Amino acid sequence: MNSIHDMGGMHGFGPVVPEVNEPVFHEKWEGRVMALQRSLGVAGLWTIDMSRAAQEALPPQRYLAASYYERWLMGLEERVMQFDLVSPDEIETGHSLRPGPTLKRIFKPADADKMNRGNYARPSSASAIFAPGDRVRTTNINPVTHTRLPRYARDKVGVVEAVRGCHVFPDKVAIGEGEDPQWLYTLVFSGRELWGEEYDPSISVSIEAFEPYLRPE
Amino acid sequence: MTDDDFQSHDHSHDHPEGSELSETQIRVRTLETILSEKGYTDPVALDRIVEAFETRIGPHIGARVVARAWTEPEFRERLFEDATEAVNSMGLSSPVGSHLIAAENTESTHNMVVCTLCSCYPWEVLGLPPGWYKSAAYRSRAVIDPKGVLAEFGVTLPADINIRVWDSTAETRFIVVPMRPEGTDGWDQQKLATLVTRDSMVGTGLAKNANEVAP
């Protein structure tokens, strides 16, 4: 969806301000939220793209006003209710009032010794259409649902640099239509293609582009 | 508020200290309490996850990878061929997923990594992302004004160098391998790793100079 999360190329957010000796977490609750998210992730109820889609659906004013972990917290609260793990009256009273559905897996303390990020590569059902060196044009799509094709890179010509395998397709999995695995490419654009012919010729930008985003040029 | 206050679970919701907690702290504690009471999350497991990211999983891992690539040509080759396999062969406590990609800085190209759509970051080799990486300023400007961003980090590159920005729009993750500083011949990997900063592996910095670390 065309919302505020899709920030690439926007002006007006000011300078980047690195923090000296930044702690991993600024407040303890941030660590708890990160851990809750990580821990519940193993139940497999929702996918990373469903989580992203939920954040993207926040009104832009709320998205910008919330910190990174506040957005995670909003998403978590929403999803535990969506999947009936927690009910509004339990949030109200602060305690469990009834058992909920059984999860397929619970994150155990020992699991923290070997945390493994999910693998999104999948077997392919067809061979990749494009190869390194191919010139392609990205599609001009504007779905109201989740996509990983940023606005600044739509309807632009780039060159395929690498084929990264066949991966879960975010646009489909986020709307509950299954993983629909698609070939993934590293696609390089000249800065001038993205930002105009007066732009600095020494700069190029790549995106990781799923095959349905691409057309032969 | 002590650590115990926050993490113990025998407190009632209307804890007398509750008024001192922010609304967000109360929301998080409430959620954790209910999920724990239902057996969906284990407070000890949550403690261990937090501890892992505060201690074991951080940029020191990426620094080891870079130092090894600087000194072992065979490992360097494997790293650029298949970073996932090369890094996992080092036996990390948190193995990388299937899609780590290493980008090499050279005399002619400087690489820089961003995620304009959210804040994707190679957690397994760099830990959790710093605040600036998640900021709207960085996410918006890295792809359109990378030189301006680099200047804010105090990095000025030679005029004839090309800049390549990698936008992390899928589940592939990137680690930049900075150039090895001059004057470090004969250094062992452990000492070399002290030159490799987090920012140098995101591409918003360079490796430290040899004279910036203790002899």
Side-chain angles (χ1 to χ4, degrees):
Chain A
M1 74 189 288
N2 293 347
S3 194
I4 193 64
H5 68 282
D6 187 356
M7 294 179 170
M10 287 184 73
H11 294 133
F13 287 114
V16 180
V17 185
E19 180 182 340
V20 179
N21 296 324
E22 182 176 349
V24 174
F25 301 109
H26 290 82
E27 296 195 53
K28 196 167 278 297
W29 68 262
E30 298 180 335
R32 302 313 278 181
V33 168
M34 186 277 298
L36 283 169
Q37 168 115 335
R38 189 96 195 192
S39 163
L40 287 172
V42 303
L45 291 175
W46 53 78
T47 72
I48 191 165
D49 283 296
M50 288 178 191
S51 300
R52 289 189 183 121
Q55 292 200 15
E56 292 162 8
L58 290 169
Q61 298 88 334
R62 272 188 83 194
Y63 184 99
L64 287 177
S67 74
Y68 179 74
Y69 289 112
E70 282 168 347
R71 288 200 297 270
W72 279 31
L73 174 59
M74 288 190 256
L76 260 181
E77 288 172 329
E78 194 179 292
R79 270 183 305 287
V80 294
M81 297 218 236
Q82 181 189 347
F83 288 92
D84 296 323
L85 305 188
V86 174
S87 313
D89 58 347
E90 294 176 314
I91 295 280
E92 190 62 33
T93 59
H95 289 284
S96 166
L97 299 175
R98 65 192 71 82
T102 303
L103 299 187
K104 75 167 189 192
R105 209 184 130 205
I106 305 288
F107 194 101
K108 298 274 184 284
D111 294 333
D113 296 336
K114 220 170 179 58
M115 287 184 279
N116 204 342
R117 201 166 73 84
N119 184 337
Y120 298 86
R122 296 291 181 271
S124 57
S125 54
S127 44
I129 292 175
F130 303 108
D134 286 355
R135 275 167 60 84
V136 296
R137 182 180 289 275
T138 54
T139 52
N140 182 10
I141 52 167
N142 290 275
V144 295
T145 50
H146 181 66
T147 183
R148 295 293 287 182
L149 180 59
R151 266 178 288 184
Y152 76 84
R154 292 178 192 166
D155 194 23
K156 298 284 192 271
V157 175
V159 175
V160 171
E161 184 176 69
V163 186
R164 302 295 185 189
C166 196
H167 293 235
V168 173
F169 186 37
D171 302 42
K172 284 291 167 67
V173 78
I175 53 173
E177 292 190 6
E179 294 191 333
D180 187 23
Q182 299 289 344
W183 288 96
L184 180 68
Y185 304 90
T186 297
L187 181 63
V188 186
F189 304 98
S190 69
R192 289 189 166 183
E193 172 69 9
L194 299 177
W195 311 117
E197 56 194 35
E198 300 295 312
Y199 190 77
D200 186 334
S202 68
I203 295 170
S204 62
V205 177
S206 63
I207 63 167
E208 302 290 289
F210 292 88
E211 199 168 81
Y213 302 160
L214 307 178
R215 301 285 179 270
E217 174 68 5
Chain B
M1 187 181 70
T2 67
D3 292 4
D4 259 343
D5 279 330
F6 198 85
Q7 290 174 7
S8 68
H9 299 273
D10 51 357
H11 293 280
S12 65
H13 189 51
D14 55 355
H15 188 274
E17 290 174 17
S19 57
E20 295 169 20
L21 298 176
S22 71
E23 188 216 346
T24 306
Q25 287 171 318
I26 293 168
R27 276 165 62 200
V28 175
R29 199 172 65 173
T30 301
L31 191 61
E32 183 182 338
T33 301
I34 300 167
L35 290 167
S36 297
E37 287 174 353
K38 293 194 169 198
Y40 290 144
T41 55
D42 177 336
V44 178
L46 300 180
D47 294 344
R48 300 266 301 261
I49 296 171
V50 171
E51 188 206 348
F53 281 102
E54 284 184 329
T55 57
R56 297 198 309 279
I57 306 173
H60 59 280
I61 296 174
R64 277 176 53 205
V65 173
V66 171
R68 196 168 166 197
W70 282 347
T71 47
E72 294 179 28
E74 191 255 355
F75 180 79
R76 181 184 164 282
E77 202 170 304
R78 277 167 67 200
L79 185 67
F80 292 116
E81 180 67 30
D82 183 348
T84 310
E85 184 277 328
V87 171
N88 281 340
S89 75
M90 294 172 69
L92 306 184
S93 66
S94 182
V96 297
S98 61
H99 338 283
L100 186 69
I101 294 160
E104 183 178 34
N105 282 352
T106 64
E107 299 282 358
S108 58
T109 303
H110 179 85
N111 295 281
M112 191 168 139
V113 180
V114 64
C115 172
T116 61
L117 294 173
C118 43
S119 301
C120 299
Y121 191 75
W123 288 23
E124 298 93 338
V125 284
L126 297 187
L128 293 170
W132 61 259
Y133 186 86
K134 301 177 285 192
S135 70
Y138 186 72
R139 286 168 54 192
S140 60
R141 286 177 52 219
V143 289
I144 192 171
D145 183 23
K147 284 187 179 171
V149 170
L150 285 168
E152 282 157 17
F153 279 86
V155 176
T156 318
L157 298 169
D160 58 349
I161 204 165
N162 292 313
I163 295 181
R164 162 70 177 276
V165 182
W166 300 74
D167 192 355
S168 312
T169 56
E171 295 311 320
T172 34
R173 295 288 176 271
F174 307 94
I175 179 173
V176 174
V177 177
M179 283 174 45
R180 179 172 175 168
E182 288 176 6
T184 57
D185 291 353
W187 287 29
D188 66 21
Q189 287 180 20
Q190 204 174 350
K191 193 172 173 191
L192 285 170
T194 63
L195 300 170
V196 186
T197 62
R198 176 196 62 208
D199 292 0
S200 75
M201 294 180 281
V202 183
T204 54
L206 307 175
K208 290 181 188 172
N209 290 320
N211 59 14
E212 285 181 77
V213 299

